[in-house]
Amino acid sequence: MRTQVVIIGAGPAGLLLSHLLRLAGVASVVLESRSREHCEQRIRAGVLEQGTVDTLTQAGLGSRMQREGLVHHGIELLFERTRHRIDLTALTGGRAITVYGQHEVVRDMIAAAIDHQQPLYFDVSAVSLHDLTTDKPWVQFTHEGIAQRIDCEFIAGCDGFHGISRDSIPAAALQTFERIYPYAWLGILAHAAPTCDELVYAHHERGFALFSMRSPELTRLYLQCRPDEDLAQWPDQRVWAELHARFDNADGWLPAIGEIAQKGVTPMRSFVCEPMQYGRLFLAGDAAHIVPPTGAKGMNLAVADVRVLSKALAAHYRDGRDDLLAAYSSTCLARVWRAEHFSYFMTNMLHPSFDDTPFVNRLKLSELRYVARSDAAARMLAENYVGLPFDD
Ligand code: RFL
Ligand code: PHB
């Protein structure tokens, strides 16, 4: 087999890259280790920045998102039993976010790839990358029991944090930066109509809680928990009691209780690898960087990376220019580090830490009061939350 770009991983980064390359007339093959059903049902992020929505729409991938996505113009911060609204749209000159599940974005992109007859292999195994520092790299994999080889010109490593792409780079060629937080999120998806039109981020002395949603019938909720939390200790009743204790507020608003469809623990990590390139291998999305979910940036960064990569590859094939490919890593890292800082800021401010001194927890409350009262502080939060404009 032969193609121009082999893409490892069919998450948001890999799938979107394959579509953007098709639109630029560049051939690609996507290799995914899991099944189509697994990729379409994996519940993860839910907040799309304006720029992500625009990118998907311009690529012709946005019609169901336009119909079913929920456009939000603000978020709420709940602390000291009071809700404070941050008016995202007023503070950012008209920008908004769209709540539409990552698995829905993935479903739409897989359906479109099949419609356009883009080569996309699920359930592959034993993927390995070769000759990365030559201009003829190749990829080995096994599909339906048969070992195969694809010769190509570039490889995009879009296989997430635990994929093989980053590990295919010699350790001496990479610098990594990491922070592990002393807490995690217990997330649930509940069959209950959302009782608030916007997301509610709650700081409570018992711990952080987040109210979000997936549709007019599905509420998504998270609770700060221990990183090694045992889900067996969290029967549904305990989850609801804890959520209601943390969302307790003066006007009596609470999420509605419903049957819990999914329960899971998400670790909290910040991670960046530099550079995001090794020879003809380009890393994108979670393969290169991780943010804690508090800033809702994970999937949006994956989209931003592959926007840059698709334009750079298009310039290579269309105009014979390699300056954009050479700048890929530094272009992406500028946005990545901004998102890293914002996610770290939101995470620290909103999570009381049981390891911190009472002094540090007082500082967090002071910061929340400042963001709720000061136009300048709220604007800083809003501008980062809706996503900074793309440089192009
Ligand atoms: P993905 O989505 O992880 O996709 C990578 C794909 O690569 C496949 N893969 C391989 N394929 C071939 N060969 C191999 N050797 C492979 N190894 C792995 C995987 O099966 C997968 O299909 O990365 P991508 O595309 O970069 O997208 C990034 C986003 O998925 C991610 O940033 C966010 O979902 C992060 N995240 C969350 N972000 C939020 O903003 N809010 C959340 O609530 C939230 N929840 C989450 C999350 C990430 C999670 N992970 C990765 C542990 C919950 C979880 C559980
Ligand atoms: C979600 O709906 O899953 C979600 C929303 C906002 C976040 C993180 C996750 O900051």
Side-chain angles (χ1 to χ4, degrees):
M1 248 195 276
R2 175 175 291 283
T3 190
Q4 290 172 309
V5 182
V6 174
I7 299 172
I8 316 294
L15 288 167
L16 180 59
L17 180 62
S18 72
H19 285 288
L20 296 176
L21 290 179
R22 168 178 54 79
L23 292 166
V26 179
S28 70
V29 173
V30 178
L31 303 179
E32 165 60 49
S33 58
R34 309 303 295 256
S35 67
R36 176 177 178 180
E37 296 67 37
H38 181 90
C39 295
E40 291 186 342
Q41 283 163 20
R42 202 164 36 189
I43 301 285
R44 288 188 175 172
V47 173
L48 308 186
E49 294 176 359
Q50 179 90 57
T52 298
V53 169
D54 295 346
T55 304
L56 292 169
T57 304
Q58 284 156 15
L61 301 164
S63 54
R64 198 164 65 95
M65 173 186 69
Q66 301 291 351
R67 284 197 310 276
E68 297 178 18
L70 308 167
V71 177
H72 287 197
H73 297 284
I75 56 168
E76 298 198 4
L77 301 178
L78 193 172
F79 57 94
E80 294 173 319
R81 301 191 72 238
T82 307
R83 290 194 282 164
H84 304 263
R85 183 165 189 269
I86 305 289
D87 189 334
L88 298 174
T89 299
L91 289 161
T92 60
R95 295 167 79 84
I97 53 156
T98 297
V99 176
Y100 187 63
Q102 174 170 328
H103 63 291
E104 307 287 6
V105 177
V106 163
R107 250 178 77 189
D108 296 345
M109 290 200 289
I110 291 174
I114 289 167
D115 278 353
H116 289 284
Q117 300 182 331
Q118 288 173 221
L120 168 49
Y121 294 83
F122 289 101
D123 298 302
V124 303
S125 58
V127 179
S128 58
L129 315 183
H130 304 273
D131 293 343
L132 298 174
T133 53
T134 72
D135 56 5
K136 294 187 181 64
W138 54 281
V139 177
Q140 176 108 39
F141 68 101
T142 299
H143 186 242
E144 294 177 343
I146 300 166
Q148 310 215 34
R149 169 180 170 142
I150 315 184
D151 291 290
C152 59
E153 286 149 12
F154 295 95
I155 300 173
C158 302
D159 48 352
F161 186 68
H162 299 288
I164 50 96
S165 297
R166 194 179 63 253
D167 288 346
S168 307
I169 302 176
L174 285 185
Q175 198 176 0
T176 58
F177 303 84
E178 184 165 32
R179 180 182 189 83
I180 311 269
Y181 296 81
Y183 34 77
W185 282 10
L186 191 165
I188 63 161
L189 189 68
H191 289 284
T195 51
C196 176
D197 293 338
E198 296 180 338
L199 273 60
V200 183
Y201 289 84
H203 172 109
H204 189 278
E205 61 194 20
R206 297 178 69 91
F208 168 79
L210 171 61
F211 168 89
S212 180
M213 62 203 72
R214 284 293 177 274
S215 72
E217 297 85 32
L218 285 173
T219 303
R220 177 85 169 139
L221 295 144
Y222 298 93
L223 279 174
Q224 176 184 353
C225 64
R226 294 206 326 264
D228 58 350
E229 198 72 53
D230 175 9
L231 278 179
Q233 303 300 314
W234 286 88
D236 297 0
Q237 263 176 331
R238 180 174 174 208
V239 172
W240 290 115
E242 191 61 33
L243 282 165
H244 282 193
R246 295 188 193 184
F247 284 121
D248 177 47
N249 63 96
D251 42 301
W253 167 81
L254 281 178
I257 294 177
E259 184 205 337
I260 297 183
Q262 287 202 22
K263 213 184 267 177
V265 174
T266 307
M268 306 279 275
R269 182 198 300 271
S270 300
F271 174 87
V272 181
C273 98
E274 292 188 0
M276 289 168 55
Q277 178 199 358
Y278 178 71
R280 289 273 177 128
L281 168 64
F282 292 82
L283 302 177
D286 278 17
H289 41 71
I290 295 284
V291 285
T294 329
K297 289 283 161 255
M299 174 175 37
N300 295 295
L301 277 182
V303 167
D305 287 350
V306 299
R307 247 183 94 97
V308 176
L309 186 53
S310 63
K311 284 180 200 288
L313 287 167
H316 170 87
Y317 284 109
R318 194 186 48 227
D319 311 323
R321 273 177 59 189
D322 281 344
D323 55 325
L324 297 182
L325 279 173
Y328 169 74
S329 179
S330 58
T331 305
C332 290
L333 284 168
R335 187 179 190 87
V336 166
W337 277 111
R338 178 86 297 281
E340 289 288 347
H341 177 264
F342 177 65
S343 307
Y344 165 88
F345 153 79
M346 287 285 277
T347 301
N348 279 329
M349 176 172 74
L350 284 160
H351 293 72
S353 164
F354 304 113
D355 303 332
D356 284 337
T357 60
F359 174 81
V360 172
N361 282 326
R362 282 286 191 279
L363 293 183
K364 293 173 197 242
L365 271 175
S366 165
E367 198 165 30
L368 278 163
R369 289 189 206 112
Y370 182 50
V371 167
R373 289 187 53 171
S374 153
D375 205 50
R379 194 179 303 279
M380 184 281 288
L381 189 154
E383 181 175 71
N384 282 278
Y385 193 86
V386 300
L388 295 168
F390 296 120
D391 288 339
D392 56 41

